[in-house]
Amino acid sequence: MTYESLSLARSGQVATLTLTHPKGAFGPATWREVPRALSELGEARALIVRGARAFSVGLDLRATAPLIAPALGDPAKFAAVVDEMHAAIEGLAALPIPVIAAIDGWC
């Protein structure tokens, strides 16, 4: 599958999830794509998460603000935005295989 904000590669039983944003920032595309990528791990026995240039600077505020700002006055909309973000992180945490953060550069 093709992704906008990440890539997924396999080498034997090891999968590598690479955040392709120049600073590894998590934006709306990342939140949507991480769960999809995790569903494609197949028989991988370990996952390495890395950045293309740096590991991750965190939330891409510029890209995410347009989603969060309109939801601030509506608890249900805000919860939906946060739930999508949480699903990506929870998906990584809940994997039944080791997840290795390959940190190099900003973090």
Side-chain angles (χ1 to χ4, degrees), residues 45-71:
R45 300 204 38 173
L47 174 65
I48 299 170
V49 181
R50 63 181 297 273
R53 276 189 45 213
F55 183 71
S56 179
V57 297
L59 184 65
D60 184 342
L61 293 173
R62 184 168 295 157
T64 306
L67 296 175
I68 293 175

Side-chain angles (χ1 to χ4, degrees), residues 3-30:
Y3 300 101
E4 177 185 336
S5 67
L6 54 87
S7 67
L8 181 64
R10 295 270 312 260
S11 177
Q13 294 181 321
V14 177
T16 301
L17 180 73
T18 303
L19 307 172
T20 57
H21 186 284
K23 293 183 179 176
F26 274 63
T30 312

Side-chain angles (χ1 to χ4, degrees), residues 31-56:
W31 302 120
R32 286 188 306 272
E33 293 174 347
V34 166
R36 287 197 344 240
L38 297 180
S39 72
E40 295 181 14
L41 292 178
E43 299 298 316
R45 300 204 38 173
L47 174 65
I48 299 170
V49 181
R50 63 181 297 273
R53 276 189 45 213
F55 183 71
S56 179

